[in-house]
Amino acid sequence: MRRLMEPFTASRLKVRKNNVIKDFVSAAGVFSVSHLVAFTQSETTLYMKLIRIPRGPTLTFRICSYSLTRDIIASLKTPHMEPKQFLYHPLVVMNNFSGKGMEFKLMTSMFQNMFPSINVEKVDLNHLRRCVVLNYNAEYQTIEFTHCNIQVSPVGLSKPVKKLIKAKVPDMSSYADIAEYMTRDGNLSESEGEMDGPANEVTLPQKLTSRGNVEAGKSAIRMHEIGPRLVMKLHKIEEGICDGEILFHDLFNKTDEEILKLKKEKEERQQLKEERRKRQEENVRLKDARKRRSEKSSSNTKSVKRDESHTALDTSDDDNDYFEKEVGVKPDPDILKKARKRPAVSHGNNRRFKKFKQGGSVEKKESKTPATPFKKHLRKGKNIRH
């Protein structure tokens, strides 16, 4: 599907298992994405969701059958997969989408707006290389989705002439003259004769880059399927992005009472969600206020400590002034320092501890007698003489 939407698609987008639709919707606005195509699989079948970004609606299709691009190309004798044809967006052709009802209008507008519009008077025919065909089957209520290559070939030319106008010159070594090559039998194959006819022959208003297609000349338009191919059926239509009110469902038809009940339940859920959001914002505000108060109290504590240090310096200056006033001479700086020095507080006997190992662990054992100066010198290896 990404190759089909070229060149206006996120061809290099990487999807992980933990990604949800909200991740892609949030990033869609940055890259100017208008539509999102998502495939899901249940236990029974496949679903394709077409989402209009950013406000919906969401169309869900149930895929009845599908064929991959590689399977279709493998079944063709001559696949037409020129890389240059993916440089331009495909042309959209819709058939039998004329039914009555809201679902037909939404489907038509959704498919048309998925691809860029063209101006018929100014379009360059060389850019129309591919085509997306959507055919609605009213009997089975299904949509046939096919992707084809558009090939334009000149009409009325024999097979030898077509070979001559190609870039590769054919082998004419077995002919005596070019006239013999041009007038030989079997100039046109049966398959080519069956494909061309009034239904697919047109008069070109422009000259094409392909050989033999000139302006005002007759050419035949041929379409070759290049895949993928889908047969799908509209399952439901929702408002918003996969979470709104169901506008259409192919299996259930709700009454007016059931619709009102569902609306009421939705409003209650939205109200609860709004209350939770307000409560969360209030909690965040209170948390920020507590944080600011704690920062302010810590700054006040630092300022108080700073003031106490300045007060201590001022007190020392006052003591010096008082001493000079009473005694008549300036005090010695060491006197006040010794006076302000606090006496050491004794906590009983200073007992010595020694470590010993018991059972592989290190423990402390209290010695019964305090160490004497004599024993201290013995431990250090000093000789004491009496």
Side-chain angles (χ1 to χ4, degrees):
M1 290 297 291
R2 293 186 185 179
R3 193 78 185 275
L4 184 146
M5 298 291 178
E6 289 283 359
F8 305 109
T9 183
S11 56
R12 297 183 180 181
L13 180 66
K14 294 182 179 180
V15 183
R16 298 179 180 177
K17 291 184 179 180
N18 56 352
N19 288 131
V20 293
I21 292 180
K22 288 184 179 180
D23 300 336
F24 303 108
V25 173
S26 60
V30 181
F31 300 100
S32 301
V33 178
S34 60
H35 292 77
L36 182 66
V37 182
F39 290 89
T40 59
Q41 184 177 7
S42 65
E43 296 179 356
T44 56
T45 185
L46 293 171
Y47 293 95
M48 183 180 75
K49 293 181 181 291
L50 296 183
I51 305 171
R52 183 72 168 90
I53 295 174
R55 297 181 180 87
T58 302
L59 276 67
T60 304
F61 295 90
R62 185 171 64 253
I63 298 177
C64 304
S65 62
Y66 67 93
S67 297
L68 299 177
T69 301
R70 61 173 178 266
D71 298 332
I72 293 174
I73 292 174
S75 64
L76 297 176
K77 184 178 180 181
T78 308
H80 299 268
M81 293 296 293
E82 295 85 1
K84 291 185 179 180
Q85 66 182 345
F86 296 99
L87 298 176
Y88 311 102
H89 64 85
L91 182 69
V92 182
V93 178
M94 303 182 70
N95 185 33
N96 292 336
F97 281 86
S98 58
K100 297 180 180 180
M102 173 267 300
E103 62 272 15
F104 283 96
K105 294 180 180 179
L106 282 176
M107 279 194 299
T108 304
S109 63
M110 182 69 76
F111 285 124
Q112 287 178 347
N113 295 326
M114 280 180 64
F115 302 93
S117 60
I118 61 172
N119 190 343
V120 180
E121 297 179 356
K122 298 181 180 180
V123 67
D124 188 358
L125 297 181
N126 292 307
H127 295 172
L128 302 180
R129 301 288 189 90
R130 296 179 295 133
C131 178
V132 174
V133 182
L134 296 165
N135 180 42
Y136 182 76
N137 191 336
E139 183 180 358
Y140 298 101
Q141 297 181 352
T142 57
I143 301 171
E144 298 172 0
F145 184 101
T146 54
H147 181 213
C148 303
N149 165 266
I150 300 175
Q151 185 180 10
V152 182
S153 301
V155 177
L157 299 179
S158 61
K159 192 172 182 180
V161 174
K162 288 182 179 179
K163 287 186 177 181
L164 283 175
I165 64 177
K166 289 183 179 181
K168 186 177 180 181
V169 179
D171 183 13
M172 293 186 291
S173 59
S174 60
Y175 300 99
D177 191 4
I178 190 172
E180 185 180 352
Y181 172 76
M182 300 294 292
T183 58
R184 65 173 182 167
D185 296 334
N187 288 337
L188 188 66
S189 63
E190 295 181 358
S191 59
E192 290 179 347
E194 291 176 357
M195 290 175 66
D196 298 337
N200 67 333
E201 291 181 0
V202 295
T203 302
L204 295 178
Q206 300 176 9
K207 181 182 178 180
L208 300 182
T209 55
S210 55
R211 294 175 179 266
N213 296 309
V214 296
E215 186 177 356
K218 272 195 173 184
S219 298
I221 298 176
R222 301 170 183 172
M223 298 177 65
H224 306 277
E225 189 175 2
I226 57 177
R229 182 197 307 161
L230 299 172
V231 178
M232 53 190 179
K233 185 177 181 180
L234 182 63
H235 181 58
K236 64 179 178 180
I237 301 175
E238 300 174 82
E239 282 186 350
I241 300 177
C242 302
D243 59 353
E245 179 184 354
I246 297 177
L247 304 176
F248 170 81
H249 204 287
D250 63 334
L251 299 178
F252 303 101
N253 293 322
K254 299 185 182 299
T255 61
D256 296 338
E257 295 178 356
E258 293 175 344
I259 293 173
L260 290 174
K261 184 179 178 181
L262 292 174
K263 285 184 177 180
K264 187 176 180 181
E265 291 178 355
K266 183 181 177 181
E267 291 176 356
E268 290 177 355
R269 287 196 301 269
Q270 290 180 351
Q271 186 176 1
L272 288 173
K273 186 176 180 180
E274 187 68 20
E275 291 177 357
R276 286 197 300 269
R277 186 182 65 80
K278 289 182 179 179
R279 195 181 305 116
Q280 187 176 6
E281 291 178 354
E282 182 67 19
N283 293 335
V284 171
R285 188 182 63 80
L286 293 174
K287 186 177 180 180
D288 293 340
R290 286 197 298 268
K291 186 177 180 181
R292 286 194 296 271
R293 284 198 300 268
S294 63
E295 291 177 354
K296 188 176 180 181
S297 62
S298 62
S299 62
N300 292 337
T301 305
K302 290 180 181 179
S303 63
V304 168
K305 290 182 178 179
R306 198 180 302 112
D307 294 340
E308 288 179 354
S309 62
H310 289 303
T311 305
L313 293 174
D314 296 339
T315 305
S316 63
D317 295 337
D318 295 341
D319 293 341
N320 293 334
D321 295 339
Y322 177 76
F323 186 89
E324 184 178 359
K325 183 178 179 181
E326 294 295 331
V327 179
V329 294
K330 291 184 178 181
D332 189 4
D334 297 334
I335 296 174
L336 294 178
K337 288 182 180 179
K338 293 178 180 179
R340 284 196 299 268
K341 188 176 181 181
R342 293 183 179 180
V345 180
S346 62
H347 298 283
N349 295 329
N350 294 328
R351 297 183 177 181
R352 302 291 179 178
F353 295 90
K354 61 181 179 179
K355 298 180 181 180
F356 70 96
K357 294 183 180 180
Q358 183 177 359
S361 61
V362 178
E363 296 181 359
K364 292 183 179 181
K365 185 174 181 180
E366 206 174 287
S367 60
K368 295 182 180 180
T369 58
T372 60
F374 182 75
K375 292 183 178 180
K376 184 190 295 186
H377 288 293
L378 286 177
R379 282 200 300 268
K380 291 183 178 180
K382 295 182 178 180
N383 298 323
I384 300 175
R385 298 179 179 178
H386 297 281

